[in-house]
Amino acid sequence: MVVAHTAAPVTPKKNRRSLGKKRAKVGGIKDTTKPINVDEEMILEPLANEPTTNVEDDTKDDDEVIIDVDPESAPRPSTAPSFPALPASAIQSTTLKSETRRIPIPPHRMTPIKKDWINIFSPLTEILGLQVRMNVQRRCVEIRTSKHTKEIGALQKGADFIKAYALGFDVNDAIALLRLDDLYLDSFEIKDVKTLHGDHLSRAIGRIAGHDGKTKFTIENASRTRIVLADTKIHIMGSFQNIKVARDAIVSLILGSPPGKVYASLRTVCSRMKQRAL
């Protein structure tokens, strides 16, 4: 038995454009519209949300923004600032105003300062032009500027001079602080280097001083400084580089180095300093 399969008739698919043309023909209206590409519509038609700008409006706005500027009030280009001159009253008020400094004196230095008061009083008044007085009740020396004071740092120099004398330096050594600008004071304690107690502390102080002060004088002459041993405190006066040389030598003595080794290191350091000076 043979069965014949008949394929269903294939009907062509109609798109929307063909359907539209057919409807127009049926209704008697001829479709004259051309197919328009979507990209061309986007190029040709302006966006509805895009604001339209007018050239005339922009020029009007520019004219309205212009502000008249006074040529006198306009900033002038200059390299250095110009300030008006101070009135005479302001200059007089600054010169007449005096500054005061009070330097405390320890009790064990009250008797020496009374003996050397003339040597302390004279350089402060003659060299620096300061006014000085001794306040016995408060145990301090008060200094202040006057009309004869010429240098701005005179008050600080005077305070350093009196402080150096209060720490134990000689008057002639302390006067160098008034005449030279590169001299400083440095103070530290033995416990800052190494914690020592009892006989160990006494031996460390003895190593720094030496027999009859020989080691201390050697360090002073080699480093061109002045050293004061006040119990466990050590005060050094000199320039920055010389203070460092003396402090290194004292620290090595505190740590237990023999004096001979310290002398050898001082000789090498001093020879290097002389070569640099040349």
Side-chain angles (χ1 to χ4, degrees):
M1 184 177 181
V2 179
V3 180
H5 296 278
T6 58
V10 179
T11 57
K13 294 182 180 180
K14 297 182 180 180
N15 55 8
R16 294 181 181 179
R17 190 173 296 172
S18 60
L19 290 174
K21 290 181 180 181
K22 188 175 181 181
R23 288 174 185 175
K25 290 180 180 179
V26 173
I29 302 170
K30 189 178 181 181
D31 188 9
T32 58
T33 57
K34 296 180 180 179
I36 299 173
N37 193 2
V38 180
D39 297 335
E40 293 179 358
E41 288 182 357
M42 295 178 66
I43 296 170
L44 295 175
E45 293 181 2
L47 295 174
N49 296 329
E50 184 178 1
T52 57
T53 56
N54 193 359
V55 179
E56 295 180 357
D57 295 339
D58 294 340
T59 55
K60 289 181 180 179
D61 293 339
D62 294 339
D63 294 338
E64 291 177 357
V65 170
I66 294 174
I67 300 172
D68 294 335
V69 179
D70 190 4
E72 295 180 357
S73 63
R76 299 176 181 177
S78 60
T79 56
S82 60
F83 299 101
L86 290 174
S89 59
I91 298 173
Q92 291 178 359
S93 63
T94 54
T95 54
L96 294 176
K97 185 178 180 181
S98 61
E99 298 179 1
T100 307
R101 193 73 62 88
R102 187 177 294 164
I103 300 95
I105 305 297
H108 69 279
R109 296 295 291 173
M110 288 296 294
T111 302
I113 201 172
K114 289 177 182 178
K115 293 180 180 179
D116 295 333
W117 180 247
I118 296 175
N119 297 329
I120 295 171
F121 178 85
S122 301
L124 290 174
T125 55
E126 295 174 0
I127 299 174
L128 300 179
L130 299 172
Q131 294 179 352
V132 190
R133 73 174 182 179
M134 179 69 191
N135 195 335
V136 181
Q137 294 179 351
R138 292 188 175 183
R139 291 182 179 179
C140 62
V141 177
E142 298 176 355
I143 57 176
R144 70 176 183 182
T145 57
S146 64
K147 61 181 180 180
H148 302 288
T149 306
K150 297 179 181 179
E151 296 182 6
I152 299 175
L155 192 67
Q156 183 63 40
K157 283 185 177 181
D160 292 340
F161 167 67
I162 298 173
K163 184 181 178 182
Y165 186 82
L167 292 176
F169 291 98
D170 190 27
V171 180
N172 298 325
D173 296 334
I175 287 176
L177 291 169
L178 304 179
R179 297 179 178 176
L180 300 176
D181 294 332
D182 59 343
L183 292 183
Y184 306 96
L185 293 173
D186 186 19
S187 301
F188 65 96
E189 295 187 23
I190 294 177
K191 66 180 182 180
D192 297 336
V193 180
K194 187 178 181 181
T195 304
L196 299 173
H197 302 284
D199 295 338
H200 298 287
L201 181 61
S202 302
R203 283 193 291 270
I205 296 171
R207 283 196 299 272
I208 296 170
H211 182 65
D212 293 334
K214 178 182 177 182
T215 306
K216 185 174 79 73
F217 293 145
T218 304
I219 296 173
E220 287 180 349
N221 296 330
S223 61
R224 296 180 182 178
T225 56
R226 290 293 178 267
I227 301 171
V228 171
L229 288 174
D231 197 13
T232 60
K233 294 183 179 180
I234 301 166
H235 311 289
I236 307 173
M237 181 176 63
S239 63
F240 183 79
Q241 187 177 4
N242 295 338
I243 286 175
K244 185 180 182 303
V245 173
R247 186 173 62 242
D248 292 342
I250 293 171
V251 166
S252 61
L253 288 172
I254 293 171
L255 294 176
S257 297
K261 189 175 181 180
V262 175
Y263 294 158
S265 63
L266 282 174
R267 289 192 194 97
T268 56
V269 171
C270 292
S271 63
R272 288 176 186 175
M273 291 174 63
K274 288 180 181 178
Q275 291 177 359
R276 291 176 184 175
L278 296 175

